[in-house]
Amino acid sequence: MTSQVSSPAEQADGAEGADGTDGTLVGEQRTVGHSGGNGHGKEIRRLDRVIIRFAGDSGDGMQLTGDRFTSETASFGNDLSTLPNFPAEIRAPAGTLPGVSSFQLHFADHDILTPGDAPNVLVAMNPAALKANIADVPRGGEIIVNTDEFTKRPMAKVGYETSPLEDGSLEAYSIHPVPLTTLTVEALKDFGLSRKEAERSKNMFALGLLSWMYHRPTDGTEAFLRQKFAKKPQIAEANVAAFRAGWNFGETTEDFAVSYEVNPATQAFPPGIYRNISGNLALSYGLIAASRQADLPLYLGSYPITPASDILHELSKHKNFGVRTFQAEDEIAGIGAALGAAFGGSLAVTTTSGPGVALKSETIGLAVSLELPLLIVDIQRGGPSTGLPTKTEQADLLQAMFGRNGEAPVPIVAPRTPADCFDAALDAARIALTYRTPVFLLSDGYLANGSEPWRIPDVADLPDLKVPFAAGPNHELADGTEVFWPYKRDPQTLARPWAVPGTPGLEHRIGGIEKQDGTGNISYDPANHDLMVRTRQAKIDGIAVPDLPVDDPDGARTLVIGWGSTYGPITAAVRRLRSAGTPIAQAHLRHINPFPGNLGEVLRRYDKVVVPEMNLGQLATLIRAKYLVDAQSYNQVNGMPFKAEQLAKVLKEATHD
């Protein structure tokens, strides 16, 4: 879904919200007359932001519901950020706490950075969804409950001895009891569906109700449903009918006397055409753009693994752009095929998560030795081992940095937001192609599945990534004979020639045994090995990366520095502190190997350096080791992203120590 923004670019007011918070509803309210079925006027309140969480069983369609609400919100022009949260099981146990799936959406009329700390509105499809999420809802928050599911057995399954809808335990909240299942079945009674088939549309009834409450567009969702169920038109029309019934219920019932408006965020965006995009989709588009800008075919050798599989799914749709995808029998075969494609002259990519990186490590070392361009995309998840497949973490940094035998340095690039995954993919391709090296692109589950508005770039503004292939002999022997040396390096980049197999006159050795400098012949000479190891390291150290920008408008004494997906929560926390009068500086790393050239000088400028990470301090360890700076770690490894309020409290304490 795309939308046009033509207003001048303006910055937000320096806080995550207009009041310096991340989720408090503020703004004016007004009452208008609606022409609903009951003829009653209904109050409309105008808000600057809202956080909604849909929650239910994995089979209740909460991810689809949230995705559709997000798409309509994006088309309306709000800024937004999302947090899907679901079990790892394909069909988790119904009605249980581990089986709860949720989708949180934060949308606003201004620039926002996170999915929000706590939902203002919770839609709970069953007792398990209520119990799993109620602790996150602030006092006074609205809860829409599917009362049909609050019977004795489902409540007992999650430990409710009495009904929370009747025992007074929810007095602190604004409760809207709605028999969603009954209303849906009634709305679909003329479609000839079984009760079980009709009940499956209750998520669309809920979506219609929420769409009415927040004045969301509806045409896109109806078109989506008809397209999704094109081969089952009866099911398509039933879902559309349920969606409309939910809208009409909100319009006519006395239970919902208020609806809400959140204006488009036109002042938050530079002019351009925008669309809603997830991190994995943005990364896929970035890889395609990189291959076009390099004028090279794109080859993906991959094995499905959560949360990276969506990249394989998406790239497989784009054969028209010269993309070839190979779903291998395992992780090792996937990267082996990708490295072979790099040898053959393609922009080669392999996608995985942490467990797959462990299996790919030997071939990554081979790519370091061969000095061929290869992108290793690691969508990080909770570990170790199988760990938390559908939850997020940043714990693969040291694995990417050092997880190979021998001295095998690899550049590391990390996107900071879902939309930034596009630019990070282009940057990683630039490094791989220019310096003939494998490159790690470290995203994570939070970025991969989360979404935000993305300004579609002008193709003319994309970087030129073309690099020349070796065309002929490049070295003259003492007797005047011209030969091809596969390891004769560019004096600026230290990159070796990229020789495509089959090019006449470019025959050369390839393999994992150490090569002789220049000739590429097998060499066991100690001095040569020392030279080659140091040269490969020097090549990585010499990669051109921009200096690290620092946001420090007040001359602060404390610096908070992060990497990857912590950007949103850190920036929201910094905005809060500054709006309250606390000076604090912020910097965020995209390039972790090599570090930006000015990083040491930046770190020494401050009395205190705080490093929030979703691991046990991996970036902080690297910073301490390299720069001898007492970087203070603040760590979280619960499978969820940081909350802005949580970080604001920690950073405020750090500034006052």
Side-chain angles (χ1 to χ4, degrees):
M1 196 70 72
T2 61
S3 58
Q4 182 78 35
V5 178
S6 57
S7 61
E10 293 186 13
Q11 296 299 316
D13 57 7
E16 176 74 347
D19 59 347
T21 66
D22 180 19
T24 303
L25 306 181
V26 300
E28 61 181 281
Q29 64 183 49
R30 59 190 176 90
T31 303
V32 302
H34 266 236
S35 57
N38 59 8
H40 294 170
K42 290 204 175 188
E43 179 185 353
I44 296 179
R45 295 178 185 173
R46 182 169 294 159
L47 308 174
D48 74 338
R49 83 191 70 81
V50 176
I51 304 167
I52 298 175
R53 184 181 297 177
F54 299 92
D57 272 335
S58 293
D60 285 339
M62 294 297 93
Q63 302 307 314
L64 174 63
T65 305
D67 181 71
R68 290 313 313 159
F69 196 92
T70 298
S71 294
E72 298 296 4
T73 296
S75 71
F76 188 71
N78 296 118
D79 195 11
L80 61 89
S81 180
T82 68
L83 178 62
N85 186 16
F86 44 88
E89 292 81 7
I90 294 174
R91 174 66 78 173
T96 66
L97 295 177
V100 172
S101 173
S102 68
F103 188 105
Q104 183 162 305
L105 166 67
H106 183 190
F107 62 101
D109 65 4
H110 59 276
D111 172 33
I112 59 173
L113 297 158
T114 75
D117 286 0
N120 309 115
V121 181
L122 171 65
V123 180
M125 303 297 282
N126 61 17
L130 178 66
K131 189 160 191 177
N133 292 279
I134 186 64
D136 292 336
V137 182
R139 295 176 64 87
E142 293 190 79
I143 303 176
I144 299 172
V145 182
N146 180 15
T147 55
D148 287 327
E149 294 295 323
F150 280 74
T151 57
K152 186 174 182 179
R153 183 178 179 184
M155 289 191 295
K157 190 178 290 189
V158 295
Y160 281 131
E161 296 180 1
T162 60
S163 173
L165 307 182
E166 300 172 356
D167 62 13
S169 61
L170 301 178
E171 288 182 352
Y173 309 98
S174 177
I175 305 298
H176 300 281
V178 181
L180 289 173
T181 306
T182 298
L183 290 171
T184 302
V185 171
E186 176 66 20
L188 303 184
K189 63 182 180 180
D190 295 331
F191 281 82
L193 302 176
S194 68
R195 180 178 178 86
K196 185 175 182 180
E197 289 174 324
E199 287 179 357
R200 290 174 181 165
S201 297
K202 63 181 180 290
N203 63 325
M204 288 298 105
F205 189 101
L207 178 59
L209 173 58
L210 269 293
S211 297
W212 171 83
M213 283 183 66
Y214 292 97
H215 298 208
R216 299 296 92 183
T218 60
D219 291 346
T221 292
E222 292 190 11
F224 168 84
L225 291 171
R226 291 190 171 101
Q227 180 181 12
K228 179 177 177 64
F229 298 106
K231 296 182 179 180
K232 298 180 179 179
Q234 183 186 31
I235 299 298
E237 293 307 315
N239 276 280
V240 170
F243 176 67
R244 291 177 176 176
W247 175 283
N248 293 332
F249 177 78
E251 179 85 350
T252 59
T253 183
E254 296 292 337
D255 295 333
F256 291 88
V258 180
S259 65
Y260 304 91
E261 286 183 349
V262 181
N263 287 335
T266 53
Q267 302 302 314
F269 301 125
I273 298 175
Y274 288 78
R275 61 156 294 163
N276 181 47
I277 200 164
S278 68
N280 273 352
L281 184 57
L283 202 155
S284 300
Y285 288 175
L287 293 173
I288 296 171
S291 75
R292 295 299 83 207
Q293 293 304 104
D295 196 20
L296 296 173
L298 177 64
Y299 184 94
L300 173 66
S302 184
Y303 181 76
I305 183 172
T306 302
S309 299
D310 285 343
I311 302 172
L312 172 61
H313 300 160
E314 181 61 33
L315 289 181
S316 68
K317 303 174 184 177
H318 297 288
K319 297 180 179 66
N320 57 312
F321 285 114
V323 179
R324 179 172 294 178
T325 54
F326 169 51
Q327 180 175 320
E329 65 269 29
D330 56 39
E331 297 280 7
I332 298 171
I335 190 173
L339 185 57
F343 181 53
S346 293
L347 176 59
V349 184
T350 189
T351 52
T352 190
S353 191
V357 173
L359 293 168
K360 295 178 189 290
S361 61
E362 183 179 6
T363 306
I364 297 171
L366 177 59
V368 171
S369 176
L370 300 181
E371 300 188 50
L372 287 170
L374 174 67
L375 300 184
I376 305 110
V377 178
D378 178 5
I379 313 297
Q380 300 166 95
R381 70 190 205 186
S385 187
T386 308
L388 305 174
T390 60
K391 310 302 181 184
T392 196
E393 208 163 84
Q394 289 183 300
D396 295 352
L397 176 56
L398 294 184
Q399 181 185 32
M401 191 81 176
F402 303 118
R404 293 163 296 283
N405 63 294
E407 296 287 345
V410 175
I412 300 173
V413 176
R416 64 185 189 179
T417 69
D420 188 49
C421 289
F422 178 87
D423 296 312
L426 283 166
D427 197 15
R430 170 190 68 86
I431 293 171
L433 294 170
T434 302
Y435 296 90
R436 313 289 196 276
T437 178
V439 177
F440 262 102
L441 180 56
L442 289 186
S443 179
D444 60 43
Y446 173 36
L447 295 184
N449 297 316
S451 60
E452 66 176 351
W454 173 57
R455 182 177 180 273
I456 299 174
D458 190 324
V459 173
D461 296 331
L462 298 179
D464 184 355
L465 300 180
K466 295 182 181 68
V467 296
F469 290 122
N474 60 0
H475 184 76
E476 185 176 332
L477 300 177
D479 62 2
T481 303
E482 290 187 338
V483 297
F484 175 67
W485 277 12
Y487 284 84
K488 185 172 184 178
R489 302 177 183 279
D490 181 296
Q492 298 297 320
T493 64
L494 298 181
R496 78 172 186 88
W498 194 358
V500 176
T503 306
L506 302 189
E507 296 83 0
H508 61 282
R509 291 179 180 272
I510 202 81
I513 297 178
E514 186 63 280
K515 290 101 179 136
Q516 184 181 53
D517 181 38
T519 69
N521 294 329
I522 291 175
S523 173
Y524 294 97
D525 179 65
N528 178 77
H529 179 59
D530 183 272
L531 174 64
M532 293 295 280
V533 168
R534 295 181 185 276
T535 301
R536 287 189 289 261
Q537 182 65 57
K539 181 172 69 169
I540 304 307
D541 293 341
I543 290 173
V545 302
D547 278 349
L548 178 68
V550 181
D551 179 19
D552 185 8
D554 305 310
R557 297 174 56 194
T558 299
L559 170 71
V560 55
I561 186 168
W563 69 280
S565 66
T566 57
Y567 173 78
I570 289 174
T571 306
V574 166
R575 287 182 178 182
R576 291 186 182 203
L577 292 179
R578 289 178 182 168
S579 67
T582 301
I584 188 165
Q586 180 188 1
H588 208 80
L589 290 164
R590 167 178 282 177
H591 300 96
I592 304 177
N593 192 32
F595 282 129
N598 69 329
L599 178 57
E601 183 273 325
V602 167
L603 295 170
R604 288 187 287 271
R605 206 186 298 166
Y606 295 92
D607 296 340
K608 294 178 184 175
V609 176
V610 183
V611 188
E613 297 181 78
M614 292 187 294
N615 56 46
L616 295 183
Q618 297 187 15
L619 175 62
T621 295
L622 294 175
I623 287 175
R624 292 190 193 107
K626 185 172 180 64
Y627 299 105
L628 304 181
V629 170
D630 184 20
Q632 301 176 19
S633 286
Y634 180 70
N635 310 117
Q636 174 175 296
V637 283
N638 61 5
M640 298 294 289
F642 284 114
K643 294 182 177 181
E645 180 182 6
Q646 165 193 5
L647 284 181
K649 180 179 179 181
V650 169
L651 296 176
K652 184 176 181 179
E653 291 174 353
T655 61
H656 292 125
D657 283 348

